[in-house]
Amino acid sequence: MSDIRVITKNTTPYHDQKPGTSGLRKRVRVFQQENYTENFIQSALLCVDGGAKGASLVVGGDGRYYMDEVLQIIFKYSISAGVSKLTVPRHGLVSTPAGSHLIRKNKATGGFLLTASHNPGGPDKDFGIKYNMENGGPAPERVTDKIYETSKTLKELTYADIPNVDYSQNGTQIIGDTTIEVVDGIEDYLLYMKEIFDFDSIKQFLATNKVKVLFDGMYGVTGPYGKRIFIEEFGLDNSSIMRCDPKPDFGGEHPDPNLTYAHELVERVQREQVDFGAASDGDGDRNMIIGKDAFVTPSDSVAVIAHYAMECIPYFKKHGIQGLARSMPTSCALDRVAENFGLEHFEVPTGWKFFGNLMDAGRCSICGEESFGTGSNHVREKDGVWAILAWLSIWTHVNKVRPGSSIQSILQDHYKVYGRNFFTRYDYEEADAGECEKMIHRLNEITEKKEWIDKSFDGFTVVTMEDFSYHDPIDGSVSNHQGIRIIFKDGSRIVLRLSGTGAQGATVRLYVEKYTRNESEYTEDTQTALKSFIQVALDLIQLEKFTGRTKPTVIT
């Protein structure tokens, strides 16, 4: 390597570096252990498809605490590994979906995205490293398993002895045999969104109607994107955005766009009678849509988007819709849209990588997860800003046909066509992992013995109970143990799974869903409509006994 000193040193392997559904997530203090981050980066580089030598990588993150230090580690280890090009957004800041777009646009080998998504940031909070593939999507299990196995036997670290790289200004620099290109992380993505959506139509609607809009960046990476879109593109004033300056600790808040953690937005929307409210999370892959007297559940959101996509989103007018997909815990609302339009639809495990296979095979165009993740085949990550623009497009379109339409009226119109899937999720965060495993073990035993089949609980009769497994129709892979689901005679469902996105303890997620075609119930409050069924779920699963919690951390 020309003019660059390469250092090799011994290291001791760690045995806890198994990436979850969205990369390796741990507390910052864990990553700061001696060689902990270096070991994982070295292991990942050793597992790059085709080898790291000559590869092209995109590197950036959501700006959370410890990102800058890890970027410098990636630079040094990538240069020593012979990576030919590193594309870095200015200041390192790029949303996860925009990072996916950069990988795809640049035809890169892959990329490192430094984020723990919606998890808190700061010295005592969470950090994450995710490796994405050349399609822009998260690495599949064959790659993450290889990284994990490599990390368990790693004995040496090799890195370039170079000063810190400056990535504060756009431009190109060459270090050794590696070209480092610093780019505008917002501009490329914004231009892409303008190809997908009709910005002029949205701008005209917002300008000619007396409507209030409020976007909450939650001090995450999408704040600058929000400023560019709402202020510079749509011509709104600064009162239309809040918390749009990224902070390493997200202002001490939890950057998760739901009714609990985005309570400031929720309160302002109601107090100020805001017509359209939206939020995105720490790394920009999640979203929440609300309006005065309206909350759009993620399950309903993807269903409504799919219903209107061909009517009002230029991208789908041009490319059509090949199919729809949802994660297993997500309500069945999307299935009804697929059936209405005669579209193929899929039910996959939680984790965006499962959608990626379908998209790459041309069998899925729009997809979503109940965890506030919505997206399409324009990138291979869920995309919060995309979803917000999709809803603005729908709102604009519907108002051309029915002036004065609100977010609530759009939802009610949807229910009149498809019926309503009442849906809620209870999260129990940082629960005792051992006790949670006991809870799952009990349910698996009941499943195997079919103890609850054909039994009724407060009027709800069980017809199916299983530990969900997914057989990928594209690559033939099988993903087992993806969540316990109980299906009842009337189509109602209870789903329980342990989340793989937390950095400490276990996060228990309980999902409860009930379907109705009774129009008089469509405006009913979700928690009221589901009250008796939620109690059935809590009693069956014995959540209080195993978690010690009398109430969830978050209800959505």
Side-chain angles (χ1 to χ4, degrees):
M1 183 178 295
S2 58
D3 303 322
I4 297 295
R5 179 173 174 240
V6 173
I7 296 175
T8 298
K9 66 178 183 179
N10 294 331
T11 190
T12 301
Y14 290 88
H15 295 272
D16 64 344
Q17 295 190 332
K18 183 175 177 61
T21 56
S22 294
L24 182 69
R25 292 185 186 173
K26 303 284 183 182
R27 293 294 200 207
V28 168
R29 302 295 187 195
V30 174
F31 278 101
Q32 289 175 327
Q33 294 177 93
E34 184 180 6
N35 293 337
Y36 191 92
T37 299
E38 290 84 346
N39 278 19
F40 186 74
I41 296 301
Q42 182 81 82
S43 299
L45 287 167
L46 289 169
C47 297
V48 171
D49 279 355
K53 186 175 177 60
S56 172
L57 301 176
V58 172
V59 184
D62 62 10
R64 69 178 54 237
Y65 185 87
Y66 199 50
M67 182 189 79
D68 290 324
E69 291 88 340
V70 177
L71 280 173
Q72 297 297 342
I73 293 170
I74 292 173
F75 297 149
K76 293 175 182 180
Y77 280 71
S78 296
I79 290 169
S80 71
V83 171
S84 64
K85 183 178 181 181
L86 293 169
T87 301
V88 189
R90 189 170 64 248
H91 303 301
L93 292 174
V94 69
S95 73
T96 291
S100 176
H101 172 57
L102 276 178
I103 292 171
R104 292 169 63 81
K105 179 191 173 189
N106 293 320
K107 295 181 171 55
T109 309
F112 286 103
L113 298 179
L114 308 182
T115 175
S117 190
H118 56 290
N119 291 358
D124 299 313
K125 299 299 182 181
D126 299 347
F127 192 77
I129 304 174
K130 179 165 69 166
Y131 183 75
N132 280 32
M133 306 295 286
E134 64 180 349
N135 72 344
E141 289 179 5
R142 68 168 179 83
V143 175
T144 55
D145 287 347
K146 187 178 178 182
I147 293 171
Y148 178 49
E149 292 304 318
T150 300
S151 74
K152 291 192 293 185
T153 59
L154 191 70
K155 298 293 176 63
E156 286 187 343
L157 297 173
T158 305
Y159 61 95
D161 184 19
I162 59 172
N164 283 350
V165 174
D166 179 8
Y167 46 91
S168 63
Q169 299 295 329
N170 290 2
T172 300
Q173 50 193 299
I174 297 174
I175 303 176
D177 298 327
T178 303
T179 298
I180 300 178
E181 183 181 8
V182 181
V183 301
D184 187 327
I186 300 174
E187 186 64 23
D188 280 340
Y189 177 82
L190 179 60
L191 290 173
Y192 194 31
M193 290 300 104
K194 293 174 83 168
E195 292 178 18
I196 294 171
F197 299 103
D198 186 347
F199 269 49
D200 290 338
S201 181
I202 296 171
K203 182 177 181 178
Q204 183 179 12
F205 167 70
L206 296 176
T208 56
N209 291 270
K210 294 181 179 179
V211 292
K212 291 183 179 180
V213 173
L214 184 58
F215 170 74
D216 184 359
M218 302 193 81
Y219 294 125
V221 74
T222 56
Y225 295 78
K227 288 180 180 179
R228 285 290 300 274
I229 291 170
F230 289 97
I231 308 302
E232 296 181 30
E233 293 294 331
F234 294 154
L236 302 179
D237 60 37
N238 286 326
S239 66
S240 66
I241 61 173
M242 60 183 285
R243 301 196 293 183
C244 281
D245 296 312
K247 296 184 178 182
D249 65 348
F250 306 111
E253 303 288 341
H254 194 142
D256 193 354
N258 58 46
L259 296 174
T260 299
Y261 293 127
H263 62 90
E264 284 187 49
L265 172 68
V266 175
E267 290 161 7
R268 282 192 59 184
V269 166
Q270 287 304 109
R271 184 173 65 249
E272 300 171 24
Q273 290 293 281
V274 173
D275 299 284
F276 183 92
S280 190
D281 69 329
D283 72 325
D285 66 353
R286 298 186 179 206
N287 76 95
M288 179 175 71
I289 306 295
I290 59 176
K292 52 187 178 186
D293 302 317
F295 164 60
V296 183
T297 70
S299 297
D300 282 346
S301 180
V302 66
V304 173
I305 291 172
H307 174 81
Y308 283 106
M310 290 283 287
E311 294 181 32
C312 63
I313 299 176
Y315 179 89
F316 296 110
K317 290 181 181 180
K318 178 179 179 180
H319 299 289
I321 298 176
Q322 284 73 52
L324 305 175
R326 62 172 174 83
S327 65
M328 182 273 286
T330 302
S331 91
C332 300
L334 185 65
D335 302 12
R336 303 182 194 284
V337 177
E339 290 160 6
N340 182 52
F341 285 97
L343 295 169
E344 188 175 26
H345 59 99
F346 301 89
E347 182 180 49
V348 307
T350 296
W352 210 258
K353 58 192 174 187
F354 297 104
F355 295 127
N357 269 4
L358 297 170
M359 291 175 180
D360 288 345
R363 295 177 68 179
C364 175
S365 298
I366 298 173
C367 53
E369 295 178 337
E370 49 65 41
S371 54
F372 295 86
T374 321
S376 84
N377 58 352
H378 70 291
V379 292
R380 295 298 182 267
E381 292 278 6
K382 48 185 174 271
D383 190 343
V385 171
W386 176 92
I388 292 165
L389 288 168
W391 266 91
L392 284 170
S393 300
I394 293 166
W395 190 32
T396 297
H397 169 75
V398 172
N399 270 276
K400 290 178 182 177
V401 181
R402 294 185 295 278
S405 291
S406 65
I407 302 305
Q408 180 63 267
S409 67
I410 291 171
L411 286 174
Q412 292 302 316
D413 288 344
H414 187 83
Y415 301 150
K416 288 172 184 175
V417 175
Y418 296 103
R420 183 173 182 184
N421 292 75
F422 284 102
F423 179 89
T424 192
R425 185 181 94 189
Y426 279 25
D427 288 1
Y428 298 79
E429 296 177 352
E430 297 188 359
D432 183 273
E435 289 301 307
C436 290
E437 290 295 343
K438 291 178 185 177
M439 177 174 63
I440 295 295
H441 178 71
R442 169 182 172 268
L443 292 172
N444 279 327
E445 286 189 332
I446 292 169
T447 299
E448 291 171 9
K449 296 176 182 178
K450 300 183 178 181
E451 286 184 26
W452 291 348
I453 302 300
D454 295 327
K455 287 188 178 181
S456 292
F457 302 91
D458 198 21
F460 295 93
T461 304
V462 177
V463 293
T464 302
M465 184 173 179
E466 63 180 356
D467 188 351
F468 180 65
S469 292
Y470 178 64
H471 297 255
D472 194 301
I474 310 305
D475 62 16
S477 63
V478 178
S479 299
N480 296 314
H481 310 301
Q482 296 298 314
I484 304 291
R485 65 174 176 179
I486 308 168
I487 303 174
F488 296 81
K489 190 174 182 179
D490 65 351
S492 299
R493 300 191 311 156
I494 295 170
V495 175
L496 184 81
R497 58 180 291 272
L498 302 184
S499 172
T501 61
Q504 183 164 303
T507 295
V508 181
R509 302 201 196 281
L510 171 67
Y511 313 84
V512 179
E513 175 186 2
K514 186 175 75 170
Y515 177 69
T516 182
R517 287 243 42 155
N518 184 343
E519 203 167 315
S520 67
E521 298 177 351
Y522 293 167
T523 59
E524 196 169 354
D525 173 74
T526 296
Q527 297 304 315
T528 301
L530 290 175
K531 185 176 181 180
S532 63
F533 192 40
I534 290 170
Q535 193 58 53
V536 169
L538 294 173
D539 292 344
L540 287 176
I541 293 167
Q542 298 183 5
L543 264 164
E544 184 175 345
K545 173 185 174 181
F546 286 100
T547 66
R549 310 283 181 84
T550 58
K551 61 181 181 180
T553 314
V554 178
I555 297 176
T556 51

